[in-house]
Amino acid sequence: MKKEDLERFNEWWSTGTVRDALAPAYHRRPFESVSRLLGYRQAVVLTGLRRVGKSTILYQLIRKIIQETEPSGVLYFSFEERGEGAKEVLEAYERTVLKKPLDRAGKVHIMLDEVQYSRDWLSAVKRYYDLYPNVKFYLSGSSSLLVSGKTLESLAGRFFFVEVYPMSFREFAEARGAVKPGGEPTSRLEPIFHDYLAKSGFPEVAGWEDEERVAEYVRNSVVDRVLLRDFPALLGARDTLLLGRLFAALVSRPGGTANLNELSREFGASRITVARYLRSLERSFLLRGLANFRPSIRSSSRKLRRYYPATTSLIRAVSRQAFQRESGGVLETYVINALGATHYYRQGRVEVDAILSGGDVAVEVKSGADERDVDKLARAATRIGSRKRMIVSLSDRFSRKGVEVVPAYALEWETPVSSMQIEAGKPSVATSSETTVREMRGRRHGKEMG
């Protein structure tokens, strides 16, 4: 590898700065989480759906770092289109840019983007991390393979994990100047919220006016990229046609319960194949799966999981008709993702859309809430044992019988329980526990774990 191959990604070596187009002024909350880790020895791993802004966070971090250090001490490299090994990149950087051994180069920051496409990233990062305490790694990728059991086992204790979620409504409103950071929500946000539902999740399109262009962007840059490239290359999914049909069906009926037998008959595939593809869609961050809540964790299984797209604009990108027809499901999708829900409740005729904090909080979603909805949730919450009850509606706000009814546009400003991961929290220290992986995937940002 030549020096020119590295210079293409690292213009600040010659200019001393990072362009605004790469590092916009508005900082999303995950940027603050990553910034707090600058002084730690551990590597930082950013994962999340494609186009949610992981690379932007890295560029913003570079701008911050080079204000206090030599620009040549920061290396960025993307494996998105190039299949080089990480070891080859690191050796070329040491040889052609630093021109001295790494252990004599002072503090060095190395950012490897879409690192899952590097054939040797895990062994290279582990080796360099152990040999060079002065090197700080930042890794990003669009697959939860980055926090698979193998990765956690190999790098246990060596990195922090930060999941970058799709752009929230609060961030969307702030980026568009509709509300100031730290400001309070008002009813003036309601029309902006409706606009957000069609354009949610992806910072690059937050200011676009043309809804059709947004849908095309999400289809081409996110859905097709994941299904047609990431899946075959990383997850071994061979039947991309089946995968696409399955994804479209689930996204077109958000919150639907996935019955493996029915899906197997509908798509002419074995139950094993359908189950494997459902797991892969979750691992790609395209879908969020919810298990049916039971007081005992052991009784909460993968059977009859409910699936929601990771953000509402995915529904609009896949089917305009479904987006218009399933307005209730669109709102439910927003709430489920905003709260980072991992469980719903259904037993007999009793159903609750989201159960949080181990059953302590019950949340129902209604376009318009009335007294009957309040009574129904109160009865269900009593049966479950939930002390806190909430209904999220489009615009209603009132309190009755211990049930708080809040408008969806204000949800991210109102945190009725501290465990709702609406605000950015502390990153997680990766461990080798598979349970920890599952728990981290359900949070907006995990808590620190040691």
Side-chain angles (χ1 to χ4, degrees), residues 1-15 17-19 22 59 62 74-84 89 92-93 96-97 111 113:
M1 176 176 288
K2 300 178 181 179
K3 184 179 180 180
E4 292 76 18
D5 297 321
L6 300 178
E7 288 175 331
R8 184 164 65 91
F9 290 105
N10 297 270
E11 60 186 49
W12 46 90
W13 293 346
S14 58
T15 66
T17 188
V18 182
R19 284 177 288 140
L22 297 176
Y59 282 123
I62 292 169
V74 181
L75 168 69
Y76 171 90
F77 192 89
S78 174
F79 296 93
E80 174 73 35
E81 302 297 343
R82 303 173 62 111
E84 286 89 347
V89 172
Y93 174 59
T96 66
V97 179
M111 307 194 179
D113 206 357

Side-chain angles (χ1 to χ4, degrees), residues 74-313:
V74 181
L75 168 69
Y76 171 90
F77 192 89
S78 174
F79 296 93
E80 174 73 35
E81 302 297 343
R82 303 173 62 111
E84 286 89 347
K87 183 172 179 287
E88 180 183 359
V89 172
L90 297 175
E91 288 177 345
Y93 174 59
E94 184 177 19
R95 183 182 68 255
T96 66
V97 179
L98 295 177
K99 297 181 180 179
K100 65 180 72 171
L102 267 172
D103 58 358
R104 290 165 46 197
K107 187 66 176 179
V108 174
H109 300 265
I110 295 176
M111 307 194 179
L112 305 179
D113 206 357
E114 295 298 343
V115 72
Q116 73 274 8
Y117 280 108
S118 167
R119 57 183 177 270
D120 65 347
W121 75 269
L122 188 55
S123 61
V125 169
K126 184 176 184 296
R127 179 172 179 269
Y128 275 77
Y129 180 95
D130 291 341
L131 287 176
Y132 305 109
N134 59 311
V135 174
K136 173 80 171 182
F137 279 100
Y138 307 81
L139 315 172
S140 84
S142 303
S143 169
S144 61
L145 287 175
L146 286 184
V147 286
S148 66
K150 179 181 178 182
T151 302
L152 293 176
E153 202 171 301
S154 180
L155 296 180
R158 293 179 175 89
F159 68 91
F160 288 92
F161 167 87
V162 177
E163 185 165 350
V164 182
Y165 281 78
M167 191 178 205
S168 69
F169 173 60
R170 183 170 182 171
E171 292 171 322
F172 181 86
E174 289 175 354
R176 291 180 54 157
V179 63
K180 294 181 179 179
E184 293 298 319
T186 68
S187 58
R188 288 178 295 180
L189 289 177
E190 187 172 351
I192 299 172
F193 177 74
H194 288 280
D195 190 41
Y196 167 80
L197 292 177
K199 303 174 182 177
S200 68
F202 307 102
E204 192 171 352
V205 301
W208 293 14
E209 296 297 332
D210 191 332
E211 203 174 285
E212 290 299 327
R213 293 296 183 196
V214 173
E216 183 180 2
Y217 170 94
V218 175
R219 235 181 352 260
N220 295 337
S221 300
V222 182
V223 178
D224 289 349
R225 197 75 169 166
V226 172
L227 296 182
L228 301 180
R229 182 170 189 235
D230 293 349
F231 270 90
L234 301 174
L235 298 172
R238 298 178 180 177
D239 193 343
T240 54
L241 179 61
L242 170 61
L243 193 62
R245 292 172 59 208
L246 179 61
F247 175 70
L250 293 171
V251 168
S252 297
R253 47 183 189 244
T257 302
N259 184 302
L260 291 181
N261 290 326
E262 292 179 1
L263 290 173
S264 175
R265 287 193 296 270
E266 180 178 351
F267 296 107
S270 69
R271 291 177 76 259
I272 293 176
T273 297
V274 171
R276 185 173 72 249
Y277 280 11
L278 286 174
R279 288 194 296 271
S280 295
L281 286 166
E282 286 192 70
R283 294 176 72 186
S284 73
F285 304 108
L286 279 173
L287 288 183
R288 174 182 288 274
L290 274 62
N292 194 358
F293 175 80
R294 293 293 181 270
S296 169
I297 294 178
R298 292 183 179 180
S299 67
S300 178
S301 70
R302 297 194 66 88
K303 294 182 179 179
L304 297 180
R305 287 175 72 81
R306 286 186 176 175
Y307 288 95
Y308 295 87
T311 188
T312 55
S313 63

Side-chain angles (χ1 to χ4, degrees), residues 297-399:
I297 294 178
R298 292 183 179 180
S299 67
S300 178
S301 70
R302 297 194 66 88
K303 294 182 179 179
L304 297 180
R305 287 175 72 81
R306 286 186 176 175
Y307 288 95
Y308 295 87
T311 188
T312 55
S313 63
L314 289 170
I315 306 172
R316 177 64 179 81
V318 169
S319 171
R320 181 178 182 177
Q321 291 74 22
F323 185 80
Q324 295 172 337
R325 181 184 68 246
E326 299 285 344
S327 58
V330 171
L331 180 62
E332 197 173 313
T333 297
Y334 164 72
V335 173
I336 292 298
N337 283 293
L339 297 178
T342 57
H343 290 84
Y344 70 97
Y345 179 85
R346 179 180 179 182
Q347 188 167 17
R349 295 185 177 182
V350 179
E351 292 191 34
V352 179
D353 293 326
I355 301 297
L356 309 171
S357 299
D360 194 48
V361 182
V363 181
E364 186 71 5
V365 184
K366 296 289 182 182
S367 296
D370 56 27
E371 290 285 349
R372 289 174 298 178
D373 297 318
V374 169
D375 290 339
K376 184 178 178 182
L377 178 59
R379 289 194 300 270
T382 298
R383 178 172 180 174
I384 299 166
S386 303
R387 294 185 302 111
K388 297 181 175 67
R389 300 99 185 260
M390 171 188 283
I391 295 177
V392 182
S393 72
L394 274 177
S395 57
D396 298 315
R397 182 191 287 276
F398 60 89
S399 179

Side-chain angles (χ1 to χ4, degrees), residues 29-37 43-48 54 57 139-141 146-147 159-165 285 424-430 440 443-446:
R29 282 159 179 75
F31 171 80
E32 304 302 332
S33 295
V34 177
S35 293
R36 290 196 295 267
L37 300 174
V44 178
V45 177
L46 284 75
T47 63
K54 300 183 297 296
I57 290 172
L139 315 172
S140 84
L146 286 184
V147 286
F159 68 91
F160 288 92
F161 167 87
V162 177
E163 185 165 350
V164 182
Y165 281 78
F285 304 108
K426 295 180 181 179
S428 302
V429 176
M440 286 193 296
R443 300 171 177 162
R444 291 200 65 83
H445 292 274

